[in-house]
mmCIF file of all heavy atoms in Angstrom:
data_model
loop_
_atom_site.group_PDB
_atom_site.id
_atom_site.type_symbol
_atom_site.label_atom_id
_atom_site.label_comp_id
_atom_site.label_asym_id
_atom_site.label_seq_id
_atom_site.Cartn_x
_atom_site.Cartn_y
_atom_site.Cartn_z
ATOM 1 N N LEU A 183 0.836 -1.192 0.000
ATOM 2 C CA LEU A 183 0.000 0.000 0.000
ATOM 3 C C LEU A 183 0.866 1.233 -0.001
ATOM 4 O O LEU A 183 1.935 1.255 0.594
ATOM 5 C CB LEU A 183 -0.890 -0.030 1.250
ATOM 6 C CG LEU A 183 -1.773 -1.271 1.234
ATOM 7 C CD1 LEU A 183 -2.381 -1.487 2.585
ATOM 8 C CD2 LEU A 183 -2.835 -1.129 0.183
ATOM 9 N N ALA A 184 0.370 2.278 -0.619
ATOM 10 C CA ALA A 184 1.205 3.455 -0.856
ATOM 11 C C ALA A 184 1.471 4.246 0.402
ATOM 12 O O ALA A 184 2.551 4.741 0.602
ATOM 13 C CB ALA A 184 0.545 4.363 -1.894
ATOM 14 N N GLY A 185 0.480 4.424 1.277
ATOM 15 C CA GLY A 185 0.738 5.254 2.455
ATOM 16 C C GLY A 185 -0.527 5.514 3.201
ATOM 17 O O GLY A 185 -1.575 5.004 2.873
ATOM 18 N N CYS A 186 -0.430 6.321 4.230
ATOM 19 C CA CYS A 186 -1.554 6.543 5.124
ATOM 20 C C CYS A 186 -2.737 7.171 4.430
ATOM 21 O O CYS A 186 -3.842 7.062 4.918
ATOM 22 C CB CYS A 186 -1.116 7.418 6.300
ATOM 23 S SG CYS A 186 -0.607 6.426 7.699
ATOM 24 N N ASN A 187 -2.562 7.846 3.346
ATOM 25 C CA ASN A 187 -3.674 8.508 2.690
ATOM 26 C C ASN A 187 -4.304 7.658 1.605
ATOM 27 O O ASN A 187 -5.182 8.105 0.894
ATOM 28 C CB ASN A 187 -3.207 9.838 2.082
ATOM 29 C CG ASN A 187 -2.852 10.828 3.162
ATOM 30 O OD1 ASN A 187 -3.475 10.830 4.216
ATOM 31 N ND2 ASN A 187 -1.847 11.636 2.921
ATOM 32 N N LYS A 188 -3.864 6.402 1.485
ATOM 33 C CA LYS A 188 -4.423 5.560 0.455
ATOM 34 C C LYS A 188 -5.855 5.215 0.788
ATOM 35 O O LYS A 188 -6.179 4.893 1.911
ATOM 36 C CB LYS A 188 -3.595 4.270 0.331
ATOM 37 C CG LYS A 188 -4.180 3.336 -0.689
ATOM 38 C CD LYS A 188 -3.243 2.184 -0.979
ATOM 39 C CE LYS A 188 -3.862 1.259 -1.987
ATOM 40 N NZ LYS A 188 -2.959 0.180 -2.350
ATOM 41 N N SER A 189 -6.731 5.232 -0.201
ATOM 42 C CA SER A 189 -8.122 4.860 0.015
ATOM 43 C C SER A 189 -8.237 3.352 0.019
ATOM 44 O O SER A 189 -7.325 2.640 -0.357
ATOM 45 C CB SER A 189 -8.997 5.445 -1.098
ATOM 46 O OG SER A 189 -8.585 4.940 -2.343
ATOM 47 N N ASN A 190 -9.398 2.860 0.425
ATOM 48 C CA ASN A 190 -9.593 1.420 0.542
ATOM 49 C C ASN A 190 -9.851 0.795 -0.814
ATOM 50 O O ASN A 190 -10.916 0.911 -1.370
ATOM 51 C CB ASN A 190 -10.786 1.157 1.483
ATOM 52 C CG ASN A 190 -11.046 -0.330 1.611
ATOM 53 O OD1 ASN A 190 -10.207 -1.141 1.264
ATOM 54 N ND2 ASN A 190 -12.222 -0.665 2.128
ATOM 55 N N THR A 191 -8.839 0.100 -1.317
ATOM 56 C CA THR A 191 -9.015 -0.627 -2.568
ATOM 57 C C THR A 191 -8.786 -2.111 -2.365
ATOM 58 O O THR A 191 -8.775 -2.886 -3.312
ATOM 59 C CB THR A 191 -8.018 -0.116 -3.625
ATOM 60 O OG1 THR A 191 -6.687 -0.293 -3.121
ATOM 61 C CG2 THR A 191 -8.268 1.343 -3.946
ATOM 62 N N SER A 192 -8.563 -2.524 -1.144
ATOM 63 C CA SER A 192 -8.213 -3.910 -0.890
ATOM 64 C C SER A 192 -9.419 -4.793 -0.647
ATOM 65 O O SER A 192 -9.298 -5.999 -0.550
ATOM 66 C CB SER A 192 -7.297 -3.997 0.340
ATOM 67 O OG SER A 192 -7.992 -3.574 1.477
ATOM 68 N N GLY A 193 -10.598 -4.200 -0.502
ATOM 69 C CA GLY A 193 -11.789 -4.982 -0.222
ATOM 70 C C GLY A 193 -11.910 -5.381 1.234
ATOM 71 O O GLY A 193 -12.774 -6.158 1.598
ATOM 72 N N LEU A 194 -11.047 -4.880 2.108
ATOM 73 C CA LEU A 194 -11.106 -5.218 3.514
ATOM 74 C C LEU A 194 -12.187 -4.391 4.187
ATOM 75 O O LEU A 194 -12.287 -3.205 3.951
ATOM 76 C CB LEU A 194 -9.754 -4.923 4.179
ATOM 77 C CG LEU A 194 -8.601 -5.681 3.563
ATOM 78 C CD1 LEU A 194 -7.291 -5.175 4.123
ATOM 79 C CD2 LEU A 194 -8.750 -7.162 3.828
ATOM 80 N N PRO A 195 -12.998 -5.010 5.027
ATOM 81 C CA PRO A 195 -14.123 -4.291 5.613
ATOM 82 C C PRO A 195 -13.690 -3.345 6.703
ATOM 83 O O PRO A 195 -13.091 -3.747 7.672
ATOM 84 C CB PRO A 195 -14.988 -5.422 6.185
ATOM 85 C CG PRO A 195 -14.039 -6.533 6.436
ATOM 86 C CD PRO A 195 -12.929 -6.397 5.434
ATOM 87 N N MET A 196 -13.989 -2.066 6.554
ATOM 88 C CA MET A 196 -13.678 -1.153 7.621
ATOM 89 C C MET A 196 -14.855 -0.921 8.536
ATOM 90 O O MET A 196 -14.744 -0.282 9.547
ATOM 91 C CB MET A 196 -13.176 0.189 7.064
ATOM 92 C CG MET A 196 -11.675 0.224 6.964
ATOM 93 S SD MET A 196 -10.860 -0.186 8.519
ATOM 94 C CE MET A 196 -10.492 -1.894 8.301
ATOM 95 N N ASN A 197 -16.006 -1.442 8.182
ATOM 96 C CA ASN A 197 -17.087 -1.521 9.146
ATOM 97 C C ASN A 197 -17.075 -2.927 9.709
ATOM 98 O O ASN A 197 -18.089 -3.497 10.050
ATOM 99 C CB ASN A 197 -18.434 -1.214 8.499
ATOM 100 C CG ASN A 197 -18.678 -2.076 7.287
ATOM 101 O OD1 ASN A 197 -17.761 -2.716 6.788
ATOM 102 N ND2 ASN A 197 -19.905 -2.095 6.793
ATOM 103 N N THR A 198 -15.863 -3.501 9.818
ATOM 104 C CA THR A 198 -15.685 -4.878 10.243
ATOM 105 C C THR A 198 -16.294 -5.199 11.598
ATOM 106 O O THR A 198 -16.944 -6.212 11.733
ATOM 107 C CB THR A 198 -14.192 -5.215 10.270
ATOM 108 O OG1 THR A 198 -13.488 -4.120 10.804
ATOM 109 C CG2 THR A 198 -13.678 -5.505 8.891
ATOM 110 N N PRO A 199 -16.058 -4.387 12.658
ATOM 111 C CA PRO A 199 -16.641 -4.765 13.932
ATOM 112 C C PRO A 199 -18.153 -4.732 13.837
ATOM 113 O O PRO A 199 -18.721 -3.818 13.248
ATOM 114 C CB PRO A 199 -16.120 -3.697 14.896
ATOM 115 C CG PRO A 199 -14.965 -3.085 14.196
ATOM 116 C CD PRO A 199 -15.286 -3.170 12.741
ATOM 117 N N THR A 200 -18.789 -5.714 14.418
ATOM 118 C CA THR A 200 -20.243 -5.789 14.319
ATOM 119 C C THR A 200 -20.926 -5.058 15.464
ATOM 120 O O THR A 200 -22.138 -4.952 15.482
ATOM 121 C CB THR A 200 -20.694 -7.255 14.347
ATOM 122 O OG1 THR A 200 -20.216 -7.864 15.543
ATOM 123 C CG2 THR A 200 -20.150 -8.004 13.147
ATOM 124 N N SER A 201 -20.157 -4.565 16.423
ATOM 125 C CA SER A 201 -20.752 -3.992 17.620
ATOM 126 C C SER A 201 -21.625 -2.786 17.302
ATOM 127 O O SER A 201 -21.164 -1.793 16.766
ATOM 128 C CB SER A 201 -19.649 -3.581 18.596
ATOM 129 O OG SER A 201 -20.204 -2.896 19.686
ATOM 130 N N GLU A 202 -22.891 -2.876 17.693
ATOM 131 C CA GLU A 202 -23.794 -1.756 17.470
ATOM 132 C C GLU A 202 -23.407 -0.572 18.314
ATOM 133 O O GLU A 202 -23.800 0.550 18.058
ATOM 134 C CB GLU A 202 -25.239 -2.164 17.777
ATOM 135 C CG GLU A 202 -25.544 -2.358 19.248
ATOM 136 C CD GLU A 202 -25.266 -3.767 19.734
ATOM 137 O OE1 GLU A 202 -24.491 -4.484 19.093
ATOM 138 O OE2 GLU A 202 -25.854 -4.162 20.765
ATOM 139 N N SER A 203 -22.573 -0.801 19.346
ATOM 140 C CA SER A 203 -22.165 0.296 20.200
ATOM 141 C C SER A 203 -21.308 1.298 19.453
ATOM 142 O O SER A 203 -21.165 2.437 19.881
ATOM 143 C CB SER A 203 -21.383 -0.244 21.407
ATOM 144 O OG SER A 203 -20.152 -0.794 20.991
ATOM 145 N N ASN A 204 -20.710 0.912 18.356
ATOM 146 C CA ASN A 204 -19.827 1.810 17.633
ATOM 147 C C ASN A 204 -20.549 3.021 17.074
ATOM 148 O O ASN A 204 -19.943 4.045 16.816
ATOM 149 C CB ASN A 204 -19.149 1.064 16.482
ATOM 150 C CG ASN A 204 -18.147 0.066 17.005
ATOM 151 O OD1 ASN A 204 -17.754 0.138 18.156
ATOM 152 N ND2 ASN A 204 -17.748 -0.860 16.167
ATOM 153 N N SER A 205 -21.848 2.898 16.853
ATOM 154 C CA SER A 205 -22.588 4.022 16.303
ATOM 155 C C SER A 205 -23.536 4.636 17.328
ATOM 156 O O SER A 205 -24.323 5.495 17.011
ATOM 157 C CB SER A 205 -23.389 3.570 15.071
ATOM 158 O OG SER A 205 -24.283 2.543 15.435
ATOM 159 N N ALA A 206 -23.429 4.180 18.556
ATOM 160 C CA ALA A 206 -24.343 4.672 19.577
ATOM 161 C C ALA A 206 -23.819 5.954 20.191
ATOM 162 O O ALA A 206 -22.627 6.126 20.417
ATOM 163 C CB ALA A 206 -24.527 3.623 20.675
ATOM 164 N N VAL A 207 -24.711 6.858 20.476
ATOM 165 C CA VAL A 207 -24.350 8.079 21.186
ATOM 166 C C VAL A 207 -25.321 8.221 22.351
ATOM 167 O O VAL A 207 -26.510 8.371 22.158
ATOM 168 C CB VAL A 207 -24.448 9.319 20.270
ATOM 169 C CG1 VAL A 207 -24.098 10.570 21.058
ATOM 170 C CG2 VAL A 207 -23.552 9.170 19.057
#
């Protein structure tokens, strides 16, 4: 991968964690 600013082209899930708490406020 090119660097920290590279966009997601690898197909890896970045909403990987299933925890509903991640979007809770």
Side-chain angles (χ1 to χ4, degrees):
L183 300 166
C186 267
N187 292 326
K188 177 170 179 177
S189 61
N190 179 16
T191 59
S192 65
L194 301 171
M196 267 306 97
N197 53 347
T198 41
T200 57
S201 174
E202 72 272 21
S203 67
N204 290 344
S205 59
V207 179

